[in-house]
């Protein structure tokens, strides 16, 4: 039976961020030893007819499994170049047509654990044939054995079930790539198509699904290499998973010394008023920030790049767009933008938030904001048990409650909240709606909710009415 360490030795595998040239038409400099008629081999450098240097490109390094590490690195490169599983729905965010570097880092981190386990257990990932044609025999194949390791970690609540499934998703992609590139003859897991029945008309979900297909079922593809639902951790239950801020906690967060800088205040407001994740705030592009004085709009619908490299539309209230516009044109921010242009050129899409060197900020800097507030509160003997992601939960529950109180159709609320949050699974959206139904806002929170969402109400009401009448907006 495989050992199940909490963490595999970090010395086994590292994810190293490097500057790498992924240019076109490679060639060697100098001459080969054959051409020179010499027995002494010289190291020849690789050059490209057209360079394409990528900063911070994640590569796996494992001294014990160099060949396996190189295979996984080639898979990562193909994802960047778009040669395998290119982004869908206009999600091509690099000049080579593939996924972003940050997405690649998540993939590399998933493969890091798998590669460390392979080295620790001296296992060959290419073992794809079971000793017998049975489900029990298949459990001894490498990806299923590694799944057992992840299940144990989920049971100990060191990782969530969703995180473990993300690891397995990236491992499945690696095997699919290996099959496509003929490194293996088959994939060790199986896929199946499952029909999901839609609710009947007249139910709560009528408006939600009437805007899409008219069929009675939805077909989705599923794999047997996943973490079963029975291993869902206790912390993923409704009450513990949703932790919106209270009005007092919001005041503590935004009035803290650390959050008084304008850029940090805007990070929080984008999470609170738009439901953005930290990585979405870090990558927030400056070109979607416009001068609201040139328009009579009270809400601005813009497109951002969200989780898993997918685009989605969000709504920015007028008061927030005004603050973003002022910040965009502030002297310090313009100085940093000039450094960006000097280093990367004006042709590359520039993020709104930049560091002192003119580079893009990391999502970790944003998530750490709440930790800084926690430290401040501890210094004065107070506790503050909130994270940056809780601002997103506050947005979701508050908007759901706001739309419910405006008596918008439930089907529209479900559809709109799912779209604005960028949820892949409707069950995630439903949790927020059910939670919003069960709470009553204090008067201070009601004032804040009205301030944030009052600008959105006319647009939401008009869209709900249009969808109810079978129109599109």
């Amino acid at each position: 039976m495989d050992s199940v360490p909490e963490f595999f030795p970090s010395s086994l595998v590292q994810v190293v961020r490097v500057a790498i040239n992924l240019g076109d038409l490679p060639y060697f400099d100098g001459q080969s030893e054959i051409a020179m008629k010499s027995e002494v081999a010289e190291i020849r450098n690789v050059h490209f007819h057209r360079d394409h240097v990528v900063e911070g490109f994640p590569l796996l390094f494992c001294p014990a499994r160099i060949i396996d590490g190189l295979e996984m690195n080639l898979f990562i490169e193909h994802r960047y170049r778009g040669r395998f599983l290119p982004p869908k729905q206009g999600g091509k965010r690099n000049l080579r047509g593939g996924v972003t570097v940050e997405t690649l880092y998540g993939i590399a981190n998933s493969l890091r654990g798998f590669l460390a386990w392979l080295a620790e257990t001296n296992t060959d990932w290419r073992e794809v044939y079971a000793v017998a044609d049975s489900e029990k025999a298949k459990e001894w194949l490498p990806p299923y054995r590694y799944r057992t390791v992840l299940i144990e970690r989920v049971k100990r609540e060191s990782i969530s079930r969703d995180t473990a499934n993300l690891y397995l998703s990236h491992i499945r992609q690696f095997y699919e790539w290996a099959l496509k590139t003929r490194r293996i003859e088959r994939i060790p897991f199986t896929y199946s198509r499952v029909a999901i029945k839609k609710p009947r008309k007249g139910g709560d979900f009528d408006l939600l699904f009437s805007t899409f297909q008219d069929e009675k079922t939805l077909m989705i593809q599923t794999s047997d290499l996943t973490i079963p639902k029975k291993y869902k951790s206790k912390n993923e239950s409704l009450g513990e998973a949703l932790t919106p801020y209270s009005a007092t906690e919001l005041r503590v967060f935004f009035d803290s010394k650390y959050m008084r800088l304008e850029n940090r205040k805007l990070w929080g407001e984008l999470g609170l008023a738009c439901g953005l994740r930290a990585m979405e705030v870090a990558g927030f592009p400056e070109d979607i920030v416009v001068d609201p004085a040139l328009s009579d709009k009270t809400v601005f619908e813009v497109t951002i790049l969200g989780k898993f490299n997918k685009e989605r539309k969000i709504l920015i209230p007028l008061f927030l767009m005004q603050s973003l516009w002022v910040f965009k044109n502030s002297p310090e921010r313009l100085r940093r933008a000039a450094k960006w242009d000097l280093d990367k050129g004006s042709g590359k899409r520039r993020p709104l938030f930049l560091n002192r060197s003119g580079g893009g900020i990391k999502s970790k800097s944003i998530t750490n904001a709440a930790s800084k507030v926690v430290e401040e509160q501890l210094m004065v003997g107070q506790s503050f048990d909130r994270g940056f992601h809780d601002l997103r939960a506050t947005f979701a529950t508050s908007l759901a409650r706001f739309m419910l109180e405006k008596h918008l159709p439930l089907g529209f609320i479900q559809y709109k909240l799912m779209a604005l949050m960028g949820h892949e699974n409707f069950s995630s959206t439903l949790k927020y709606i059910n939670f919003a139904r069960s709470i009553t806002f204090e008067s201070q929170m009601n004032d804040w909710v009205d301030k944030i969402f009052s600008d959105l109400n006319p647009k939401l009401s008009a869209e709900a009415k249009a969808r109810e009448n079978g129109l599109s907006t």
Side-chain angles (χ1 to χ4, degrees), residues 81-320:
R81 292 181 181 272
R83 294 180 180 176
F84 182 74
L85 292 181
K88 297 179 181 179
Q89 299 178 355
K92 295 182 179 180
R93 305 305 297 184
N94 67 64
L95 297 179
R96 289 297 183 263
V99 299
T100 64
V101 171
E102 288 305 314
T103 298
L104 292 179
Y105 184 78
I107 295 173
N109 186 58
S110 298
L111 295 178
R112 175 185 180 273
F114 185 49
L115 184 56
W117 174 81
L118 292 172
E120 178 78 6
T121 59
N122 194 27
T123 301
D124 184 359
W125 65 270
R126 298 171 185 80
E127 295 177 21
V128 295
Y129 288 96
V131 295
D133 188 16
S134 67
E135 291 297 317
K136 187 174 182 179
K138 190 163 60 174
E139 293 295 322
W140 288 96
L141 293 176
Y144 290 93
R145 290 166 56 196
Y146 184 62
R147 181 180 68 170
T148 302
V149 172
L150 295 178
I151 287 174
E152 290 300 318
R153 292 191 62 188
V154 171
K155 289 165 65 175
R156 292 198 301 271
E157 299 190 2
S158 62
I159 60 173
S160 69
R161 177 174 169 267
D162 287 343
T163 299
N165 273 325
L166 179 63
Y167 293 165
L168 291 177
S169 174
H170 291 151
I171 291 169
R172 290 198 306 269
Q173 291 176 12
F174 172 67
Y175 273 95
E176 290 162 7
W177 169 84
L179 176 65
K180 183 179 180 180
T181 54
R182 300 184 179 181
R183 283 165 166 78
I184 55 177
E185 296 180 352
R186 56 170 290 180
I187 53 176
F189 44 87
T190 58
Y191 285 108
S192 60
R193 293 184 66 81
V194 179
I196 303 297
K197 292 185 177 180
K198 295 180 185 178
R200 296 180 179 274
K201 287 188 177 291
D204 284 343
F205 304 121
D206 183 21
L207 279 177
L208 172 65
F209 291 107
S210 63
T211 58
F212 301 103
Q213 304 175 21
D214 292 330
E215 292 84 0
K216 294 182 179 180
T217 59
L218 293 173
M219 299 300 296
I220 62 171
Q221 180 174 273
T222 183
S223 170
D224 62 347
L225 185 60
T226 57
I227 306 296
K229 290 183 179 180
K230 66 180 180 179
Y231 294 112
K232 194 171 186 178
S233 63
K234 295 179 181 178
N235 286 335
E236 292 178 88
S237 61
L238 174 63
E240 294 174 328
L242 305 182
T243 51
Y245 281 70
S246 66
T248 301
E249 289 168 335
L250 285 174
R251 191 179 305 108
V252 169
F253 181 77
F254 283 101
D255 288 348
S256 64
K257 292 180 181 179
Y258 187 80
M259 293 301 295
R260 287 176 185 173
L261 287 181
E262 188 61 25
N263 62 330
R264 295 170 185 166
K265 181 181 177 182
L266 289 173
W267 298 350
E269 289 185 344
L270 283 168
L272 187 61
C274 302
L276 297 196
R277 303 176 177 94
M279 54 85 62
E280 294 165 348
V281 174
F284 194 81
E286 69 161 20
D287 55 21
I288 65 178
V289 178
V290 298
D291 185 357
L294 301 179
S295 169
D296 59 357
K297 295 180 179 178
T298 59
V299 60
F300 297 81
E301 187 176 57
V302 300
T303 301
I304 64 163
L305 190 69
K307 195 174 181 180
F308 302 127
N309 221 38
K310 293 184 178 180
E311 292 184 340
R312 82 171 189 273
K313 293 185 182 298
I314 64 168
L315 301 177
I316 301 179
L318 175 60
F319 82 91
L320 182 52

Side-chain angles (χ1 to χ4, degrees), residues 424-444:
E424 287 289 312
N425 193 327
F426 178 64
S427 62
S428 300
T429 307
L430 195 58
K431 289 179 183 178
Y432 289 103
I433 295 173
N434 290 338
F435 190 76
R437 283 169 150 176
S438 67
I439 60 175
T440 301
F441 287 143
E442 54 189 303
S443 59
Q444 291 176 323

